[in-house]
Amino acid sequence: MDAQPVKSNAPSRELLEKIFRTAYKIRVFETEGIKLYRQGLVRGYFHPYLGQEGIATGVCAALREGDFIASTHRGHGHCIAWGADIRRMVAELLQKESGYCKGYGGSMHIADITKGNLGANGIVGAGTPLGVGAALANQIKGSDAVTVTFTTDGGSNNGTFLESLNLAAIWNLNFILVIENNGYAVSTRIEESTRDTDLYKRGLAIGVESHQVDGNDPLAVYRLTEEAAATCRAGKGPVLIEAKTYRHMGHHVNDPGKYMPEDRLAYYKARDPVDRARDALVQMSGIDAGEITAIEAEIQGEFEEAVDFAKSSRELTVAEFHEFVAQY
Amino acid sequence: MREIMYRDALREALDEEMARSSDVFIIGEGIAERGGSYKVTEGLLAKYGPGRVRDTPIAEAGMIGVGVGAAIAGARPVVEILYIDFAMLGMDMIVNQAAKFRLMTGGSGRVPFVMRTQGGTGGGVAAQHSQSLEALFYHIPGLKVVMPSVPADAKGLLKYALRQDDPVMFLEHKHLYMTKGLVPDGEHIVEFGKADIKRPGKDVTLIAWSNMIPRTLEAADELAKSGIEAEVIDPRTLVPLDKEAILKSVAKTNRAVIVQEAVRRGGVASDIASIIQEEAFYDLDAPIEIVAGLNIPIPFNLELEKASVPQKDDIVAAALRSLHAKPLALAAE
Ligand SMILES: Cc1ncc(C[n+]2csc(CCOP(=O)(O)OP(=O)(O)O)c2C)c(N)n1
């Protein structure tokens, strides 16, 4: 979030490392989070972002402090890429008072409005109008902040996708809509939910600058978002980005994803965004293997520390809950 | 005090609050240059410019959602929805987003969102433009529900709505826009949760809101001809509901008649009745009467439309039933 966008074609070591760290942190959070879920420590729904890390990572690296994001039901990755404290994220998953929402929100509702994160959302597609609204608020306040809504192939079929993107268009809002097209809405294949699976074309139909990008290539996502943000800040937004990607597993922790053909999964796993972030860092910065191992160990340690923090945090009392209720 | 129309009172509230805070802005259909179908926003475009007074395409879900998002992000939007019937298109944004955000964020997120709209019957605009849907919003925790009946309340409540931090369903009535009333000069704010006694009395409590207030006051005039002094209470805000004021009045008159234009089934009146029976049962000398709309969509035909919602005579009859009922203790004998 704080990295200054790099204009030249050769990305700085700092940026490459930031991208790798973010992608890897999401990978660890999800992998380890699933273990916590299986141990029964996390309740409710847990929709892993595994396989899609390149998108949140690339997009958020191109934004600035003061910008806004709105997320999906698969929101951990966006939250982490936005710079969230993973201790408070784990605490939220464990329903603790120290969590982002004191345990009132959970996996699907982590938000941090103080940092411009409008939150994950349990309603597919709902983040789009909310993000446009934040962009509108910023325009009215005279801010040049950019708002990004992450939505999904499923979300693109909700009516508010068109309604609110159209509002962003007629009002030239600093708004970037990122469709994470992972090919499925639960088990429904994209081919079954739309005739033209190139979802970026929907923006073209209403005069919105629209692009398609390989969502598993974090640097490509980063570059495109950087341009889109510049377009917005020049008063020429909104911009739509369709990022093609694939989940590495079923829809949520308890979905084995049997409907996902082995060969397609293998194709995408061979294009793993975390590996690509690591490869880019290695190839373009000359970092040595030891440093990579150290970064990975550091992030793993950070997660373990977060789990300890969450486990030792307390839950809200019913008395505190009643105090809150009394304000309603 | 000046005598002005309900719609002018609303405009004054918007104007004063827009002047006071640059975070306040309005979006809606035909509200900018045209000034809105009911002329509430007339002149605001010229004063505050196209940045803060914006026409939208006909896309209610989108515009309500955008308003909610803007509120979450710290602005103070007013979304004008032409008819409450059309707010149904944006129910996800109201119910699942606006109403939930505060709790889901553990109290750190707030949604200072105001949806202004109008409902109710009148003029034969038929089933899709005549509904009284306050109970839908009343039912959803996290929403405030405001239903002003007179210009002074319209102004004072709207100003208050624009200064507090929770989503407000500000429900006006199509028949009230042209009605007149006295509005105090200068700053005039009406807090939520404070009922108003529109007419004091001691014999029977008539509880009503929005366009049922003028009708209930007519009924009270009628009752007065037979020497019956009805007290007319207007909660003004259904959420929060000033139940103390209601219970106090019932304790005084020992009789309650609740009047709502909305259909009877699942309505707010039923909930108010349940509160009275639970908390003031021993004050009652008669069963609580509810005068409400029929459980049907509103017909186009004017006579049938009239027959669908409470009229003055229905309210008078209910009050008389209540007054003539034998005290419960005696009835048991
Ligand atoms: C409005 C709404 N309808 C249905 C659901 C149930 N649901 C949760 S996730 C999901 C599928 C979402 O698929 P997609 O939007 O493509 O996102 P992905 O899970 O692929 O990231 C569904 C149907 C929901 N949460 N919200």
Side-chain angles (χ1 to χ4, degrees):
Chain A
M1 206 163 98
D2 17 301
Q4 282 307 308
V6 184
K7 280 285 164 213
S8 78
N9 272 341
S12 68
R13 146 105 193 227
E14 188 194 0
L15 173 67
L16 291 164
E17 184 176 326
K18 180 188 171 69
I19 285 178
F20 170 63
R21 278 177 175 272
T22 305
Y24 190 77
K25 197 187 266 193
I26 300 171
R27 177 63 50 93
V28 169
F29 188 92
E30 298 297 58
T31 312
E32 300 297 323
I34 291 167
K35 289 183 196 158
L36 294 176
Y37 191 95
R38 298 226 154 102
Q39 288 163 26
L41 289 170
V42 181
R43 311 307 293 257
Y45 283 117
F46 186 118
H47 302 95
Y49 198 60
L50 295 173
Q52 305 185 195
E53 294 91 339
I55 304 170
T57 299
V59 168
C60 294
L63 298 172
R64 295 182 190 161
E65 204 162 328
D67 289 341
F68 284 70
I69 62 162
S71 170
T72 66
H73 59 287
R74 202 176 291 291
H76 307 154
H78 310 123
C79 208
I80 292 169
W82 197 238
D85 177 351
I86 62 170
R87 297 188 315 158
R88 293 185 64 196
M89 286 181 67
V90 178
E92 187 59 34
L93 295 182
L94 267 55
Q95 316 161 42
K96 298 304 179 76
E97 189 270 340
S98 57
Y100 267 102
C101 316
K102 300 185 179 172
Y104 282 108
S107 164
M108 269 190 297
H109 304 296
I110 296 178
D112 184 8
I113 193 61
T114 64
K115 296 251 165 58
N117 178 357
L118 275 66
N121 212 305
I123 306 295
V124 169
T128 310
L130 298 179
V132 174
L136 175 59
N138 282 315
Q139 188 187 65
I140 282 168
K141 286 170 183 285
S143 152
D144 75 342
V146 169
T147 303
V148 174
T149 286
F150 295 94
T151 189
T152 54
D153 44 296
S156 73
N157 289 323
N158 182 288
T160 57
F161 174 90
L162 176 85
E163 292 189 24
S164 53
L165 185 59
N166 188 50
L167 285 176
I170 58 175
W171 293 337
N172 305 319
L173 299 182
N174 287 2
F175 180 66
I176 302 174
L177 185 55
V178 178
I179 307 175
E180 304 194 353
N181 185 353
N182 65 12
Y184 290 98
V186 192
S187 58
T188 303
R189 288 181 302 123
I190 174 98
E191 292 81 6
E192 296 172 287
S193 62
T194 184
R195 226 182 195 190
D196 188 340
T197 58
D198 285 330
L199 299 176
Y200 76 97
K201 291 181 190 163
R202 296 180 178 198
L204 299 176
I206 54 168
V208 171
E209 179 184 320
S210 303
H211 305 274
Q212 196 172 47
V213 68
D214 176 358
N216 281 26
D217 181 347
L219 263 182
V221 173
Y222 166 80
R223 290 202 178 101
L224 189 54
T225 309
E226 194 191 18
E227 280 169 25
T231 300
C232 286
R233 288 192 232 270
K236 292 187 265 178
V239 179
L240 172 65
I241 296 174
E242 177 194 5
K244 295 262 192 197
T245 187
Y246 207 70
R247 299 189 308 241
H248 278 187
M249 58 178 288
H251 173 62
H252 54 66
V253 176
N254 295 328
D255 171 17
K258 288 266 159 53
Y259 49 84
M260 301 169 79
E262 289 290 342
D263 53 340
R264 263 199 103 191
L265 193 53
Y267 173 90
Y268 279 98
K269 281 195 168 169
R271 286 155 185 79
D272 183 327
V274 180
D275 290 346
R276 280 165 92 171
R278 187 190 294 103
D279 292 348
L281 175 60
V282 171
Q283 283 157 23
M284 296 190 215
S285 77
I287 193 171
D288 69 51
E291 281 177 274
I292 295 274
T293 313
I295 290 171
E296 293 183 355
E298 179 193 325
I299 291 170
Q300 194 78 39
E302 205 183 313
F303 184 84
E304 275 148 30
E305 202 255 319
V307 173
D308 290 342
F309 169 81
K311 281 183 176 166
S312 62
S313 294
R314 67 179 187 88
E315 284 182 32
L316 280 187
T317 64
V318 173
E320 284 169 307
F321 170 58
H322 285 156
E323 253 173 60
F324 189 39
V325 171
Q327 298 168 31
Y328 267 72
Chain B
M1 289 275 203
R2 304 144 299 138
E3 192 172 59
I4 58 172
M5 280 194 273
Y6 189 86
R7 70 182 185 199
D8 301 325
L10 291 164
R11 186 185 317 109
E12 279 189 7
L14 292 170
D15 191 356
E16 289 174 17
E17 292 309 296
M18 289 182 88
R20 184 174 169 270
S21 162
S22 58
D23 287 343
V24 178
F25 68 94
I26 310 174
I27 65 174
E29 292 160 14
I31 54 108
E33 190 147 348
R34 180 158 174 252
S37 288
Y38 291 95
K39 304 271 164 261
V40 171
T41 53
E42 220 168 42
L44 297 178
L45 171 68
K47 221 162 161 181
Y48 299 102
R52 291 172 66 198
V53 183
R54 301 185 185 218
D55 282 339
T56 62
I58 303 155
E60 283 76 9
M63 75 173 103
I64 292 173
V66 165
V68 173
I72 289 173
R76 293 194 172 266
V78 180
V79 175
E80 177 172 319
I81 299 291
L82 201 44
Y83 284 80
I84 195 169
D85 315 70
F86 311 158
M88 299 304 99
L89 283 83
M91 281 307 252
D92 169 52
M93 289 295 145
I94 297 169
V95 174
N96 295 322
Q97 310 300 329
K100 303 293 186 280
F101 195 71
R102 182 176 173 193
L103 178 122
M104 289 193 322
T105 56
S108 62
R110 299 301 290 263
V111 190
F113 166 76
V114 176
M115 182 180 88
R116 277 189 49 239
T117 188
Q118 58 82 17
T121 57
V125 288
Q128 293 172 339
H129 293 68
S130 304
Q131 297 175 83
S132 300
L133 297 172
E134 62 266 26
L136 297 186
F137 303 120
Y138 181 85
H139 186 71
I140 304 299
L143 300 176
K144 303 266 153 75
V145 182
V146 181
M147 297 193 77
S149 65
V150 295
D153 293 347
K155 178 172 181 182
L157 290 165
L158 186 51
K159 281 174 70 82
Y160 188 82
L162 285 162
R163 295 185 190 190
Q164 60 81 60
D165 292 330
D166 292 311
V168 177
M169 302 291 110
F170 199 91
L171 311 181
E172 299 155 15
H173 196 288
K174 53 175 70 64
H175 254 192
L176 292 173
Y177 286 117
M178 310 269 275
T179 59
K180 287 186 167 182
L182 289 172
V183 176
D185 298 317
E187 185 80 322
H188 170 63
I189 292 186
V190 177
E191 257 180 72
F192 290 175
K194 298 218 182 319
D196 187 42
I197 297 179
K198 291 284 189 262
R199 176 189 176 119
K202 60 175 178 43
D203 297 325
V204 56
T205 298
L206 308 180
I207 302 154
W209 50 92
S210 192
N211 195 41
M212 288 297 108
I213 281 290
R215 212 162 281 177
T216 301
L217 287 170
E218 283 172 31
D221 285 344
E222 182 85 22
L223 290 163
K225 288 181 195 157
S226 349
I228 298 163
E229 291 177 40
E231 176 147 293
V232 178
I233 292 209
D234 178 358
R236 303 194 282 200
T237 60
L238 298 180
V239 183
L241 181 71
D242 187 353
K243 74 178 188 181
E244 276 67 38
I246 291 169
L247 296 175
K248 199 169 142 200
S249 178
V250 172
K252 177 168 70 173
T253 66
N254 312 113
R255 292 173 160 82
V257 176
I258 312 165
V259 187
Q260 73 178 17
E261 183 168 1
V263 300
R264 161 99 190 214
R265 194 161 54 218
V268 175
S270 302
D271 192 52
I272 294 176
S274 81
I275 293 169
I276 296 172
Q277 88 77 28
E278 189 176 330
E279 302 195 37
F281 183 76
Y282 297 106
D283 288 329
L284 289 171
D285 282 344
I288 301 162
E289 291 275 344
I290 291 179
V291 188
L294 302 181
N295 293 326
I296 51 147
I298 300 300
F300 169 58
N301 176 296
L302 282 178
E303 278 310 304
L304 303 184
E305 176 189 66
K306 229 174 132 184
S308 305
V309 297
Q311 301 299 324
K312 183 184 76 178
D313 290 348
D314 303 317
I315 303 167
V316 170
L320 292 176
R321 277 197 302 277
S322 165
L323 281 153
H324 296 154
K326 283 187 184 158
L328 296 178
L330 297 181
E333 282 167 12

